[in-house]
Amino acid sequence: MSKEDRISALPDSLIQHILCFLPSTKEAIRTSVLSKSFYNQWTRLPILKFRSYRMSFKKFSKFMDNTLLLHDCSKIQKFHINTYFSILDPTPNLNAVIDFAIKKYVEELILELSFTSSLYRLPEFLFDNASLVKLHTHNCNFDVVSCVSWAHLKALSITDCIFPPDTIENILCGSPSLESLELTNIYEYHKYVIFSKSLKKLVLENVSTTAVQISCPNLEEWKLLSPLNACYGSISINSPFLIHATIDFERYYTHPCLMLKFGSKLIQTLSNLHIGNLSSLLRKNKSLTLDNPNFEEHPDEIASALHSFHELEKLVIKLPHYKSERTTYLPNLNSPQKSYWNTEERVFNCVVSHLKTVEIIGLSESDDECSLVLSFIRFLLENATVLEKLIVVIEDSRKDFFIKVFQKLSNFSRCSQHALVELLCSNQRRISKLVQVF
């Protein structure tokens, strides 16, 4: 009695669904040897993914041509090309490949091209397409020579490109349904006018420009990530419904944030920019993450942030990672050099009437930084009238440091009768110890 062949018994729809999760179409083709039910199932896949990894130009071009010749699916959901060829290699006939995908009513097109000789010039016929919903390009030339017509495009991501003037304006004008626009590594000093009634998410990362003018009435999320020297001129924004914003001119990459996230130099940078109604947006924002603020050298940055957010309810401070080899001790918090926060002149509207939750993450044994942070914590506890919870997470350290911080926090007076304080000890993997709320 022969054993039941469960693989061969799988329905075609399930087999094709499984094959779509493989890293590339090449792996999908190889499954034809598994059983009769898998034979040539790849020819009907709605997702095609081509990677030139460890393939010569000639071999890759032949493989891609043969695959498309045998492909027999009437509609393509996703078409992904990832290639890398040196300056000595000729450029594959990508125009014909893209034309194939368009004739199959492709919805998501991903072109990750790394030709060291030059950027790939996108074919003109690509800009008149009614089926595209998502488009991602890398190392492509957007030399638009005609009007753009992307009626159903919702997400556009462009990386490593040089734009001719007015390209973005033409794209937005021809994409009435666009909801997400991401521009990364754009090396051309033009003025960018970003006007769209449909746009909800805008990301500008390392975009060199003389000026940026944003007018998107339905914009909800905005990220401006750039080295300090990449953005020149003015920035104006008119987006009354903006909810999430990340602005960081100091570091090239940032981590996710709650609502607004600042690098340590952002506050002083804002004063040199023309950011339209951003000040009014800051006043209404209820959640703020300060990433790597400098308590020791620039306490005014933290004070400026608190002053700008009139209705702030949650404050998260992520301190720089620092491990000290010196003997652990806590200096006198009342010494003159530690008195920045020990003054009645520090009055902020959000601290007095709105601030409910504070998280301070990464407290270490650095004596100067630690004492200043503890001074700031004491300031909050003594002035935050509606504070409900304050969480302090210290870095992995010796037990005596943990106990001394605990004793300091226990002795601080509190303006809010409902304020609870939690002290946690963490390591790089997880939070490992919790001192009961006190």
Side-chain angles (χ1 to χ4, degrees), residues 104-379:
K104 296 275 187 173
Y105 306 102
V106 63
E107 294 182 358
E108 181 177 359
L109 181 61
I110 303 175
L111 303 174
E112 294 181 312
L113 313 177
S114 297
F115 303 112
T116 56
S117 56
S118 62
L119 299 178
Y120 168 65
R121 187 181 186 276
L122 294 171
E124 184 177 350
F125 60 78
L126 176 62
F127 297 98
D128 185 7
N129 184 281
S131 64
L132 271 180
V133 177
K134 295 182 179 179
L135 176 62
H136 170 76
T137 68
H138 176 250
N139 270 4
C140 293
N141 186 351
F142 275 74
D143 187 7
V144 183
V145 295
S146 62
C147 295
V148 176
S149 180
W150 287 331
H152 297 97
L153 189 69
K154 291 188 175 181
L156 175 61
S157 175
I158 301 172
T159 303
D160 289 307
C161 179
I162 298 176
F163 280 141
D166 303 326
T167 300
I168 288 298
E169 291 90 325
N170 292 337
I171 290 175
L172 293 174
C173 183
S175 306
S177 302
L178 192 65
E179 296 180 356
S180 175
L181 175 62
E182 299 185 18
L183 304 178
T184 305
N185 297 342
I186 309 300
Y187 308 107
E188 192 68 31
Y189 288 92
H190 298 307
K191 178 181 179 180
Y192 290 89
V193 178
I194 301 176
F195 172 77
S196 172
K197 293 181 179 180
S198 60
L199 203 64
K200 296 181 179 179
K201 177 181 178 180
L202 175 62
V203 178
L204 303 175
E205 182 172 357
N206 195 24
V207 175
S208 300
T209 174
T210 57
V212 177
Q213 181 179 341
I214 302 171
S215 181
C216 302
N218 293 302
L219 191 67
E220 298 177 355
E221 182 178 356
W222 174 43
K223 293 184 180 181
L224 181 61
L225 314 175
S226 175
L228 282 172
N229 61 346
C231 185
Y232 298 91
S234 64
I235 301 174
S236 67
I237 178 170
N238 181 17
S239 300
F241 297 105
L242 186 65
I243 300 174
H244 304 274
T246 299
I247 310 172
D248 196 324
F249 288 167
E250 184 180 27
R251 298 184 305 142
Y252 187 78
Y253 297 103
T254 62
H255 301 287
C257 68
L258 294 171
M259 281 196 179
L260 279 169
K261 178 173 181 170
F262 293 150
S264 63
K265 293 186 179 180
L266 174 67
I267 301 301
Q268 61 192 33
T269 304
L270 288 178
S271 61
N272 298 323
L273 299 172
H274 305 287
I275 310 200
N277 68 334
L278 183 58
S279 59
S280 64
L281 296 174
L282 298 184
R283 295 172 189 269
K284 298 177 181 179
N285 194 75
K286 298 182 183 300
S287 181
L288 166 67
T289 296
L290 287 173
D291 191 23
N292 296 341
N294 194 327
F295 276 88
E296 188 171 355
E297 296 181 9
H298 302 290
D300 285 328
E301 294 176 1
I302 296 97
S304 298
L306 293 176
H307 177 75
S308 300
F309 293 81
H310 289 194
E311 300 179 14
L312 187 67
E313 294 182 1
K314 183 173 183 177
L315 173 63
V316 179
I317 296 178
K318 297 181 179 180
L319 300 171
H321 294 290
Y322 179 80
K323 299 289 184 180
S324 174
E325 301 298 332
R326 292 172 291 182
T327 304
T328 300
Y329 72 98
L330 298 180
N332 180 10
L333 297 181
N334 295 318
S335 60
Q337 64 270 31
K338 314 299 179 186
S339 62
Y340 182 87
W341 296 103
N342 301 334
T343 172
E344 295 180 357
E345 297 178 0
R346 307 293 174 199
V347 179
F348 307 100
N349 183 69
C350 66
V351 174
V352 173
S353 56
H354 291 86
L355 194 61
K356 295 180 180 179
T357 304
V358 177
E359 297 179 15
I360 298 179
I361 303 170
L363 188 64
S364 70
E365 296 105 322
S366 171
D367 47 278
D368 290 333
E369 186 81 8
C370 179
S371 62
L372 286 167
V373 174
L374 288 175
S375 178
F376 175 69
I377 292 173
R378 182 167 68 180
F379 164 78

Side-chain angles (χ1 to χ4, degrees), residues 12-155:
D12 290 351
S13 59
L14 180 57
I15 293 175
Q16 293 172 17
H17 181 71
I18 294 172
L19 296 183
C20 286
F21 287 96
L22 293 178
S24 71
T25 300
K26 187 176 182 179
E27 277 75 19
I29 294 175
R30 288 174 175 174
T31 62
S32 294
V33 301
L34 293 177
S35 70
K36 292 182 179 180
S37 61
F38 274 77
Y39 185 71
N40 280 348
Q41 287 283 3
W42 66 269
T43 62
R44 296 185 291 275
L45 293 181
I47 296 178
L48 292 176
K49 293 176 280 188
F50 297 97
R51 299 174 58 198
S52 64
Y53 180 65
R54 291 184 177 179
M55 297 176 70
S56 66
F57 162 78
K58 184 177 180 180
K59 187 175 181 180
F60 175 73
S61 296
K62 184 178 180 180
F63 168 74
M64 191 161 52
D65 290 342
N66 291 339
T67 300
L68 298 184
L69 184 65
L70 296 173
H71 189 260
D72 192 30
C73 183
S74 60
K75 183 177 177 60
I76 296 180
Q77 295 178 3
K78 181 177 180 180
F79 195 91
H80 186 178
I81 302 178
N82 187 314
T83 65
Y84 178 84
F85 296 110
S86 71
I87 193 171
L88 299 178
D89 294 317
T91 302
N93 189 14
L94 290 178
N95 285 8
V97 174
I98 295 174
D99 184 53
F100 171 88
I102 289 177
K103 289 179 178 178
K104 296 275 187 173
Y105 306 102
V106 63
E107 294 182 358
E108 181 177 359
L109 181 61
I110 303 175
L111 303 174
E112 294 181 312
L113 313 177
S114 297
F115 303 112
T116 56
S117 56
S118 62
L119 299 178
Y120 168 65
R121 187 181 186 276
L122 294 171
E124 184 177 350
F125 60 78
L126 176 62
F127 297 98
D128 185 7
N129 184 281
S131 64
L132 271 180
V133 177
K134 295 182 179 179
L135 176 62
H136 170 76
T137 68
H138 176 250
N139 270 4
C140 293
N141 186 351
F142 275 74
D143 187 7
V144 183
V145 295
S146 62
C147 295
V148 176
S149 180
W150 287 331
H152 297 97
L153 189 69
K154 291 188 175 181

